[in-house]
Amino acid sequence: REAMAAGMCVMAARCPDSDEILGADGGMTLPPFTAETWADAIAGCLSNPARVAMFGEAARVRAGTRTWDDVAADLEALYRGVSTRAGAPAATQAPVFADLRVRAGAGLGPREIVQAAVERDIRIVAVAAPGGIEPALQVLQAAPDRLHVIVGQEIDTREGAIIGLFLTASIPDGLALADALGRVRDQGGVTVIPHAASGMAPPADALRQVTALIDCHEALTPARPASQATEAALLLQRAGLVVTAGSGAEGAAELGTAGMLMRPFAGPGEFLQSLADARPVRRRRGLRGRAARSSRRASQPST
């Protein structure tokens, strides 16, 4: 807001607040933690002063209805909000286990997903099946309050499959990669590229053409030995990519074999923020959560 009021071209991390403030012409919103995308955007502006001037003038006009006192009040409110969250009890910020790719279908219905999640203390599942969001909606309807269900879809594009999360409507298969990613974004959703080892992701050449439309890369699945897979995922995270992890489960026994330890979130923006300091992890097949194991022991008669 300060930069806009000064008539400067603004680049900001993509989130609902920045999209609303900048509008369509006040600057550029870019996916967070994608250094290459930001570098390309900056280089493009430096090579086109006229475009920078256009953005700057639009930003100045957009900010013209607000005084510096308004800007100061906004900043004070933001700082107060941050300090309040920082002082929240640790229990409210404790990470939970999230399986961020579950392929619901004939062998894995809503009942099986909910039961396995409760038994294994999985608090978040992203359901992304081929063909539409209906399987995810069915899981959402069957889930108890303690299980956060992200409605998603596995979308088959001309170049390969992608994952769309936080969807409100199904996306047709057969679109060009950029069109499919754009339709996910149009719904306010999050775009995820499946792990290369899955054999379903678009080729690297195609992905390089659409980096600005990619929010996350799946970096961990149960397909490789646990130590190698986890280390590879952590390396990608340290390199600045926003990574996810999921089991890709098509059966109940596979659910929860890979995922993220992450802070709870309320929507797509907080989801991306939570992934920034989340940890990719592998779990043993069929592992029960601590709460489930302890309750089972408590129900057994003592000898």
Side-chain angles (χ1 to χ4, degrees):
R1 287 191 173 102
E2 289 181 84
M4 289 176 68
M8 301 178 70
C9 173
V10 178
M11 294 180 183
R14 187 173 71 87
C15 70
D17 285 341
S18 59
D19 288 341
E20 179 182 356
I21 292 167
L22 290 174
D25 56 359
M28 288 181 280
T29 57
L30 304 169
F33 310 110
T34 52
E36 183 177 350
T37 301
W38 284 71
D40 290 344
I42 292 170
C45 284
L46 291 175
S47 64
N48 192 345
R51 187 181 185 215
V52 173
M54 178 190 71
F55 274 130
E57 177 60 19
R60 185 190 65 77
V61 171
R62 192 172 176 83
T65 59
R66 301 173 57 79
T67 68
W68 283 106
D69 287 340
D70 294 329
V71 175
D74 289 337
L75 289 174
E76 181 179 2
L78 289 171
Y79 282 123
R80 288 185 181 278
V82 170
S83 64
T84 300
R85 288 195 295 273
T92 65
Q93 300 296 323
V96 296
F97 185 83
D99 187 335
L100 295 181
R101 186 158 70 89
V102 176
R103 301 182 84 227
L108 187 61
R111 180 178 177 181
E112 291 81 10
I113 291 174
V114 170
Q115 182 177 353
V118 171
E119 286 183 352
R120 297 165 200 173
D121 201 25
I122 301 170
R123 298 302 182 94
I124 301 165
V125 291
V127 181
I133 65 171
E134 287 75 16
L137 291 174
Q138 292 172 6
V139 177
L140 177 63
Q141 293 170 358
D145 291 341
R146 71 188 300 272
L147 179 60
H148 186 162
V149 178
I150 302 173
V151 175
Q153 180 185 346
E154 182 182 302
I155 307 159
D156 190 16
T157 78
R158 296 173 195 167
E159 292 88 346
I162 64 168
I163 305 297
L165 300 180
F166 298 95
L167 299 183
T168 57
S170 298
I171 294 175
D173 292 332
L175 298 172
L177 177 60
D179 289 342
L181 291 167
R183 292 206 187 190
V184 174
R185 286 283 190 82
D186 289 343
Q187 295 187 31
V190 171
T191 57
V192 184
I193 302 303
H195 196 289
S198 68
M200 56 191 289
D205 288 346
L207 293 176
R208 292 191 189 99
Q209 305 302 315
V210 293
T211 52
L213 295 173
I214 298 171
D215 295 311
C216 313
H217 292 263
E218 187 179 55
L220 180 63
T221 71
R224 298 173 60 191
S227 59
Q228 296 177 14
T230 303
E231 182 59 28
L234 290 171
L235 285 173
L236 290 176
Q237 199 173 40
R238 293 182 194 123
L241 292 179
V242 180
V243 305
T244 67
S247 64
E250 298 183 41
E254 302 165 350
L255 198 77
T257 50
M260 302 290 287
L261 281 175
M262 61 190 302
R263 290 177 285 105
F265 51 86
E270 288 188 14
F271 173 76
L272 292 173
Q273 293 172 12
S274 182
L275 284 177
D277 59 3
R279 180 176 178 83
V281 294
R282 284 277 297 272
R283 300 171 93 183
R284 294 192 301 276
R285 189 179 296 271
L287 182 66
R288 290 178 179 270
R290 183 180 305 167
R293 292 197 301 271
S294 60
S295 61
R296 182 179 178 183
R297 285 197 299 269
S299 66
Q300 294 174 344
S302 58
T303 56

